[in-house]
């Protein structure tokens, strides 16, 4: 166990599995606390570095790499030639020739392998940054002493700020959400300082906030199975339809302009506080399979389960839907299901 993970254990954390941490008393304390800290162990960083990094990524990613300017950190996806997503990520420019891809930890190595097929043709290196820690701040950011040397956070979603080797990224949510990326050695001292005015919670709290925001991060279980539009990625600005060619671009564009997307991401609530497995079938009143569970996290009160689901567009909030024998209720998305051009976001 490295020093960062050892510190979380010493601070009262318990590693449930390779992805999840819990802290006492439990995540139900989130609602009563203005500031919460969460170790985002389910996320990781793949670094792309070198003189050709921008040109290399431009040919592989749905984002226009020029939009990643050190302030705006666009969403993006990497697809197969058939338009199916290998991984989705947030693209951060952290140096003149260096980019970080923030994505689910289970896809860091597979994406590195996939991109590595093309890397020999460019002056670029791909490195999983296992030496970095990711910390989520939910609620008001705790005040810190000057010695922490943290950058001032942006107040615009999907925008970043950077100071030396530390990056803060604003993520959407009903309340304030900041994602912090910093070296593990520094993470210990920063965590200790912030915890003076905040409570530690498991990363299920951050995942619930992603669900509430309608933001879906692919895991290894989803890779090579969904078009970007099936997780509403174009509605979040994760696809530039003006940038030109990238792997899978023709299929992604055709699906958009011909209206061929028959499945969409929805937020839902499931009866019972026990999480269901990714991929669990959703059926309608006629017993027909109409979708599947994308992500499931027990709610803070543990009486229901919060879900992201990929559902046939023919189903509506009036549909009678179940997972097994448990009733599923659809919730309203916090954004319109229409194309959001990242060009308009970066310009703002």
């Amino acid at each position: 166990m490295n020093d960062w993970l050892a510190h979380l254990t010493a601070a009262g954390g318990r590693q449930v599995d390779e992805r999840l941490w819990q802290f006492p008393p439990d995540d139900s304390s989130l609602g009563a606390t203005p500031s919460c800290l969460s170790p985002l162990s389910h996320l990781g960083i793949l670094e792309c570095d070198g003189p050709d990094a921008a040109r290399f990524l431009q040919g592989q990613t749905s984002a226009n790499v020029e939009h990643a300017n050190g302030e705006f950190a666009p969403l993006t996806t990497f697809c197969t030639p058939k338009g199916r997503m290998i991984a989705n990520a947030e693209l951060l420019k952290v140096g003149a020739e260096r980019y970080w891809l923030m994505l689910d930890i289970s896809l860091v190595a597979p994406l590195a392998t996939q991109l590595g097929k093309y890397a020999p043709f460019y002056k670029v290196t791909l490195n999983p940054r296992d030496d970095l820690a990711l910390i989520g701040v939910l609620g008001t950011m705790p005040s810190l002493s000057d010695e922490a040397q943290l950058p001032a956070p942006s107040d615009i979603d999907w925008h970043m700020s950077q100071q030396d080797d530390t990056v803060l990224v604003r993520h959407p949510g009903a309340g304030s959400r900041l994602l912090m990326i910093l070296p593990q050695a520094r993470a210990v001292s920063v965590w200790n300082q912030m915890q003076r005015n905040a409570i530690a919670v498991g990363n299920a709290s951050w995942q619930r906030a992603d669900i509430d925001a309608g933001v879906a991060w692919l895991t290894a279980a989803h890779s090579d199975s969904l078009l970007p539009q099936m997780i509403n990625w174009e509605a979040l600005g994760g696809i530039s339809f003006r940038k030109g060619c990238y792997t899978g671009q023709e299929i992604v564009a055709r699906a958009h302009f011909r209206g061929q997307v028959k499945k969409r991401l929805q937020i839902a609530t499931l009866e019972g506080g026990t999480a269901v497995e990714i991929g669990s079938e959703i059926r309608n009143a006629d017993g027909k399979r109409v979708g599947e569970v994308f992500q499931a996290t027990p709610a803070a009160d543990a009486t229901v389960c919060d879900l992201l689901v990929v559902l046939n567009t023919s189903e509506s909030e009036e549909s009678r839907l179940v997972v097994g024998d448990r009733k599923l209720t659809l919730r309203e998305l916090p954004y319109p299901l229409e194309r959001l051009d990242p060009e308009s976001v970066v310009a703002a």
Side-chain angles (χ1 to χ4, degrees):
M1 181 180 293
N2 61 34
D3 291 343
W4 168 236
L5 299 184
H7 173 74
L8 293 177
T9 301
R14 181 172 69 92
Q15 192 169 11
V16 180
D17 55 34
E18 293 181 353
R19 298 172 56 84
L20 297 178
W21 280 80
Q22 291 180 348
F23 284 84
D26 56 33
D27 287 353
S28 64
S29 57
L30 176 61
T33 306
S35 303
C36 297
L37 300 177
S38 171
L40 305 183
S41 52
H42 61 292
L43 301 175
I45 300 293
L46 177 61
E47 180 177 275
C48 182
D49 186 26
D52 291 339
R55 188 165 65 92
F56 170 71
L57 288 172
Q58 186 75 344
Q60 299 298 325
T61 176
S62 65
N64 188 332
V65 177
E66 293 180 358
H67 294 163
N69 56 12
E71 295 181 2
F72 181 44
L75 296 177
T76 190
T77 186
F78 296 84
C79 297
T80 68
K82 294 183 178 181
R84 303 286 170 168
M85 290 181 292
I86 299 168
N88 62 340
E90 186 172 13
L91 178 62
L92 295 78
K93 185 176 184 179
V94 295
E97 299 175 344
R98 184 184 307 146
Y99 296 84
W100 285 351
L101 294 165
M102 192 282 295
L103 67 162
D104 190 90
I105 191 70
S106 68
L107 288 172
V108 171
L111 183 59
T113 298
Q114 177 66 22
L115 295 180
K117 298 175 182 178
Y118 309 100
F121 303 100
Y122 298 83
K123 295 178 181 179
V124 66
T125 57
L126 297 165
N127 299 304
R129 290 296 303 271
D130 300 329
D131 59 320
L132 297 174
L134 286 81
I135 300 174
V137 181
L138 300 104
T140 305
M141 183 147 177
S143 59
L144 296 173
S145 64
D146 292 338
E147 64 190 52
Q149 297 182 342
L150 292 178
S154 173
D155 58 359
I156 307 175
D157 292 342
W158 307 124
H159 281 64
M160 60 175 279
S161 54
Q162 181 177 0
Q163 184 171 318
D164 299 325
D165 53 5
T166 299
V167 174
L168 296 182
V169 192
R170 175 77 63 178
H171 278 209
S176 174
R177 281 209 300 161
L178 288 170
L179 186 148
M180 183 184 306
I181 309 169
L182 69 171
Q184 291 185 3
R186 290 199 62 221
V188 172
S189 61
V190 170
W191 179 279
N192 286 340
Q193 291 183 63
M194 297 183 76
Q195 200 173 1
R196 297 171 188 169
N197 301 299
I199 189 170
V201 297
N203 46 335
S205 293
W206 186 270
Q207 290 177 316
R208 280 198 298 271
D210 272 338
I211 290 174
D212 291 341
V215 178
W217 299 104
L218 269 69
T219 69
H222 309 109
S223 189
D224 196 15
S225 62
L226 299 168
L227 292 171
Q229 292 94 330
M230 292 179 181
I231 61 166
N232 304 342
W233 215 233
E234 90 286 19
L236 291 168
I239 304 172
S240 173
F241 290 95
R242 304 178 185 178
K243 64 160 284 187
C245 294
Y246 57 90
T247 302
Q249 180 265 341
E250 183 178 353
I251 304 300
V252 173
R254 183 185 305 157
H256 171 71
F257 290 109
R258 295 186 179 181
Q260 295 174 334
V261 180
K262 304 303 180 184
K263 296 180 180 179
R264 281 287 188 176
L265 188 81
Q266 294 284 350
I267 307 173
T269 300
L270 186 65
E271 286 183 339
T274 304
V276 291
E277 292 184 1
I278 292 175
S280 294
E281 294 184 342
I282 301 170
R283 296 187 178 274
N284 62 15
D286 297 325
K288 180 182 177 182
R289 186 185 188 279
V290 293
E292 64 182 54
V293 173
F294 184 96
Q295 180 182 337
T297 304
D301 61 7
T303 60
V304 296
C305 196
D306 294 326
L307 305 182
L308 289 176
V309 300
V310 177
L311 198 66
N312 292 355
T313 55
S314 57
E315 304 299 326
S316 67
E317 292 185 10
E318 289 73 35
S319 300
R320 295 172 55 193
L321 303 172
V322 295
V323 177
D325 58 356
R326 299 163 64 179
K327 180 182 177 182
L328 184 143
T329 303
L330 297 180
R331 293 161 46 193
E332 186 176 357
L333 286 165
Y335 50 80
L337 272 182
E338 57 188 39
R339 170 176 156 184
L340 174 63
D341 287 322
E343 287 78 8
S344 65
V345 180
V346 69

